[in-house]
Amino acid sequence: MESVEGQGCGMGWGIGTSSVVVGKHHFPRPPRVPLPARLPRLLPELLLLVAVNAVYKYGRKVANGHTDEAYRHADSVWSFERGVHLPSEASVQRLMLHSETVIHAANYLYATVHFPAMVIFLGWMFAKKRAHYLWIRRAIVIQTMLALIGHLFFPLAPPRLLKSDGMVDTAAAYGPAVYGKPDGDSLANQFAAMPSLHVGWALAIAVGLIAAYRSRWRWLWLLHPLVTMLVVVGTANHYWLDCIVGCALLGVGLAVIPGPVTDPPELPADRRHWAWPLKRRPVQD
């Protein structure tokens, strides 16, 4: 009897174990992926980005008020661009003004896409591509702080405020308008055209996504900074030179920081530099 009871107990235990195994088999738990200590966490990242944005906004406000200097710089930039044979910004605007739908769309894109697109991009990269997020976020912070230096030391009136270039303030004429009168607007510095972070940030988004993904279609993200450049130029908010400098500042940021460190690293440390994420991985057998 004892042996039978012992066998019964053994059988019962075996059945219980089997059912658990079956349960685990049919309802597998997703594996837990440990978060490496070097990768950023959400709260410190939010605090950092809010602080950077606050410093940038405050710096732009401090830089406001240099009206005469801003207009002198605008004349110099316009003359320089014509001297190096860059196409006139007015030619882009004339093409856009053939269609009110196009000009309304351009004004809307200028007013609404810039900051939300960067927030969505950083949130996506933080959640999905953490190592690449840390890499591109560092570059964007450097780019933004360098842009603030440009606003402080090179105030520049945008083309829409010049009377001699023949360009139209499309936002004021067609809407939606972002700015008020330049002399009475206390919420924004309208003389901070140099450099263009609209274009610089758009390029940063494109570079970050191209680096993080390997689809053959990923290069289409370059349409984002291209369209943004046409929008800011066609709406008379920036010169070509503003766009070029905004992109160059991103290059400075990428040049002074290492490439993203994945786990495990995709390249040895001595071969890792800012450009390597843009290259396609070699096919392995």
Side-chain angles (χ1 to χ4, degrees), residues 166-207:
M167 299 195 72
V168 178
D169 186 347
T170 60
Y174 298 92
V178 178
Y179 304 109
K181 295 181 179 180
D183 294 334
D185 187 9
S186 61
L187 297 178
N189 179 4
Q190 298 193 54
F191 302 121
M194 174 66 76
S196 170
L197 278 186
H198 272 76
V199 177
W201 278 11
L203 181 62
I205 291 172
V207 169

Side-chain angles (χ1 to χ4, degrees), residues 111-178:
T112 61
V113 171
H114 170 58
F115 191 77
M118 178 56 70
V119 171
I120 293 171
F121 165 72
L122 291 176
W124 177 267
M125 294 294 283
F126 183 88
K128 300 294 185 179
K129 299 287 183 177
R130 199 71 60 85
H132 285 84
Y133 161 82
L134 185 58
W135 165 71
I136 197 64
R137 189 265 288 157
R138 287 171 172 168
I140 291 170
V141 169
I142 293 173
Q143 176 193 36
T144 304
M145 292 299 98
L146 291 176
L148 178 57
I149 295 174
H151 301 329
L152 289 169
F153 293 98
F154 195 84
L156 178 64
R160 59 187 170 78
L161 297 181
L162 296 183
K163 302 301 182 183
S164 58
D165 60 9
M167 299 195 72
V168 178
D169 186 347
T170 60
Y174 298 92
V178 178

Side-chain angles (χ1 to χ4, degrees), residues 255-272:
V256 299
I257 60 174
V261 180
T262 55
D263 191 16
E266 297 175 19
L267 285 178
D270 59 347
R271 295 179 55 197
R272 193 181 304 122

Side-chain angles (χ1 to χ4, degrees), residues 194-281:
M194 174 66 76
S196 170
L197 278 186
H198 272 76
V199 177
W201 278 11
L203 181 62
I205 291 172
V207 169
L209 292 171
I210 290 170
Y213 292 92
R214 293 299 164 209
S215 167
R216 68 179 61 183
W217 302 105
R218 71 192 192 280
W219 298 101
L220 291 177
W221 283 110
L222 291 174
L223 291 174
H224 179 42
L226 178 60
V227 171
T228 302
M229 181 172 62
L230 294 176
V231 164
V232 301
V233 169
T235 56
N237 283 289
H238 286 284
Y239 306 89
W240 297 116
L241 195 60
D242 304 339
C243 306
I244 294 170
V245 174
C247 295
L249 294 184
L250 176 65
V252 173
L254 294 174
V256 299
I257 60 174
V261 180
T262 55
D263 191 16
E266 297 175 19
L267 285 178
D270 59 347
R271 295 179 55 197
R272 193 181 304 122
H273 57 91
W274 72 270
W276 78 261
L278 304 182
K279 300 177 181 178
R280 184 179 296 276
R281 292 191 187 98

